[in-house]
Amino acid sequence: MWTLYRKELLELVRDRKTLFFAIAMPLLIFPLIFGGIGFITAKQIKKAETQELRIAFTRELPEVAAAFTAKDNFKVLKGVDLSDIRGAIRGDKVDVVLVVPAEYDGKQPSQSQWQLYFNDASSIKSVMSRVEKALAPLEDSLKSRYAGGLGISEQVRLALAEPFVLKKVSVADKRESIGEHIGGFLPYVLFFTCLMGAMMPAIDLGAGEKERGTLETLLLSPVPRTQLVLGKFLVVFTTAVLASLLSVLSFALWGLLIGQHFAIEAIVKVFSSIGPGDVALVLLMLIPIAAIFASAMLTLSVYARSYKEAQNYMGMLNLPLIMPIVVAMLPGVTLDAHWALVPITNVALAIKEILKGTIDYGLLWLILASTLVIAGLLISFCVYCFRQEKVLFR
């Protein structure tokens, strides 16, 4: 078995495609995800917040116009035909139209309803908040004016406007808050790299050997079928674990580098609080997952008639992989004894709890035990398939 393991592993190391999926991809995927998405998102948000907005009013009110001219990135337009407001915006004559009702005069203490017209389906999502910020000084000025006209003190005015102020005080620390968000998608990335690390070797060691005609020669050797399967399984398992290990290390390394480079204090604190023990636990949770993927893919590869057919089968594995991870992202789904028995979902939830620093170590053993049982059953089924001539020579 070990002779076969060393021989197959040496052949795979010489394969550039395998090296890419097992080593290069985990090292590249995290900088692409964290750096690329973070850079693009920050750039788009900054662009949306600083983009000049052309605004027009249905009524010429100096104090309203002054509120916007005092702000950067607002351009007040006059003389725009607003008989058809929607048409003016769609025709790119103006970006935003503020409709101030006729009953508003700024003197009488009555509430009026203003309407803000803009294209909310466009990429500019900060229009409403930018207009509200521009109008905030005018709103405060009107409140004081109305209160003064009625002889109401500032304290009473504030009490009438807001009888009480609800201030949010979260007991969750930074690590728990950010771990909740990062832990949602991180398992998907780790599982995906683990899957990709196992896929190419599995196809090559099963369907690939069928196409090359070397499987028959291997079966004629005086080595028990169980040892043959375990040798191939260990090769696939090794590449899957290697991909997982590189993914975890890449995640930790690039998280720290990006946090320090962009001076994101929260990210630096989170990654600084995640110790080597936590990283080791994440890797430990990925080991049984790697065993499940390796045994399942090797079984599919042996069943397939050709290399191409094996790729089609394994492409379908993405669906059963995505669904349990999506379940782990749903609100209200937390790690407990029930979810600890649900395959893949339990590991995704455990990784999230590890990153948050709130993991229940008792449940970790339950997850490991249940996942190892499933992996053992899949390996046994793979051995069964190898012993079936009708499966090997379809």
Side-chain angles (χ1 to χ4, degrees):
M1 180 183 74
W2 295 109
T3 303
L4 179 66
Y5 171 73
R6 287 193 295 272
K7 172 250 182 190
E8 300 284 13
L9 192 61
L10 185 62
E11 288 185 358
L12 284 175
V13 169
R14 292 171 178 167
D15 185 358
R16 293 181 180 178
K17 191 184 296 180
T18 302
L19 287 178
F20 173 78
F21 282 104
I23 297 176
M25 193 171 176
L27 290 175
L28 293 175
I29 195 166
F30 283 115
L32 286 176
I33 290 176
F34 285 101
I37 295 179
F39 175 76
I40 293 172
T41 303
K43 190 175 179 181
Q44 291 300 319
I45 291 174
K46 186 176 180 181
K47 181 182 176 183
E49 290 179 347
T50 58
Q51 184 178 11
E52 184 180 75
L53 290 178
R54 298 168 298 166
I55 187 168
F57 312 106
T58 54
R59 292 180 58 194
E60 296 292 338
L61 297 169
E63 58 183 356
V64 176
F68 288 95
T69 53
K71 290 286 183 181
D72 295 333
N73 303 321
F74 273 105
K75 183 179 181 181
V76 177
L77 300 183
K78 294 182 179 179
V80 180
D81 181 11
L82 297 179
S83 56
D84 180 8
I85 296 178
R86 297 177 188 274
I89 295 176
R90 291 182 185 277
D92 199 32
K93 296 178 180 177
V94 64
D95 296 317
V96 185
V97 175
L98 182 62
V99 179
V100 181
E103 64 268 19
Y104 169 79
D105 59 5
K107 299 176 182 177
Q108 299 300 321
S110 60
Q111 187 184 56
S112 57
Q113 187 177 26
W114 299 14
Q115 293 178 321
L116 190 68
Y117 284 77
F118 63 97
N119 187 357
D120 194 30
S122 68
S123 58
I124 302 174
K125 298 295 183 185
S126 59
V127 172
M128 195 71 185
S129 62
R130 289 175 61 184
V131 172
E132 285 176 341
K133 286 180 182 177
L135 288 174
L138 175 61
E139 189 178 18
D140 291 337
S141 173
L142 290 174
K143 287 177 181 177
S144 298
R145 187 185 307 168
Y146 293 158
L150 296 173
I152 299 175
S153 66
E154 183 66 13
Q155 288 185 336
V156 174
R157 182 185 71 79
L158 291 174
L160 290 173
E162 289 183 287
F164 60 86
V165 178
L166 191 61
K167 186 177 181 181
K168 175 184 174 183
V169 181
S170 176
V171 296
D173 55 22
K174 283 287 183 184
R175 173 178 175 178
E176 193 173 347
S177 299
I178 297 180
E180 175 71 22
H181 296 92
I182 295 177
F185 76 90
L186 182 64
Y188 177 77
V189 178
L190 294 178
F191 290 0
F192 180 73
T193 53
C194 183
L195 191 74
M196 296 304 294
M199 183 179 292
M200 298 308 295
I203 294 176
D204 187 68
L205 296 181
E209 289 222 34
K210 276 188 177 181
E211 281 195 347
R212 292 193 296 270
T214 56
L215 186 61
E216 293 88 342
T217 307
L218 189 63
L219 295 175
L220 290 174
S221 64
V223 181
R225 295 281 177 91
T226 302
Q227 292 190 18
L228 285 177
V229 177
L230 289 179
K232 289 178 177 292
F233 164 77
L234 286 176
V235 173
V236 182
F237 175 73
T238 300
T239 57
V241 170
L242 181 62
S244 303
L245 173 65
L246 292 174
S247 299
V248 173
L249 294 179
S250 178
F251 166 72
L253 176 65
W254 284 105
L256 277 173
L257 287 177
I258 291 172
Q260 290 177 345
H261 180 72
F262 292 102
I264 305 174
E265 187 180 355
I267 293 181
V268 174
K269 280 186 177 179
V270 169
F271 281 94
S272 300
S273 60
I274 298 175
D278 298 320
V279 176
L281 275 180
V282 172
L283 181 62
L284 179 66
M285 300 308 300
L286 290 174
I287 288 178
I289 289 293
I292 288 177
F293 290 165
S295 52
M297 288 189 166
L298 192 58
T299 305
L300 287 174
S301 180
V302 169
Y303 179 77
R305 292 187 179 92
S306 63
Y307 207 94
K308 188 175 180 180
E309 188 176 331
Q311 285 180 318
N312 293 333
Y313 288 151
M314 292 179 192
M316 291 189 294
L317 273 182
N318 285 323
L319 284 177
L321 172 65
I322 290 173
M323 290 306 297
I325 299 177
V326 171
V327 171
M329 295 180 185
L330 295 177
V333 177
T334 56
L335 184 61
D336 54 20
H338 169 71
W339 286 109
L341 298 175
V342 179
I344 299 180
T345 302
N346 52 9
V347 177
L349 290 172
I351 292 175
K352 185 194 293 186
E353 296 294 329
I354 290 171
L355 293 177
K356 290 166 60 180
T358 56
I359 185 66
D360 182 345
Y361 292 97
L363 292 176
L364 277 184
W365 295 111
L366 182 59
I367 294 172
L368 284 173
S370 63
T371 312
L372 285 173
V373 168
I374 295 172
L377 291 174
L378 287 172
I379 294 170
S380 301
F381 182 68
C382 186
V383 173
Y384 169 79
C385 290
F386 253 86
R387 290 176 174 169
Q388 303 299 311
E389 301 291 337
K390 60 182 180 182
V391 174
L392 292 175
F393 304 105
R394 290 173 64 228

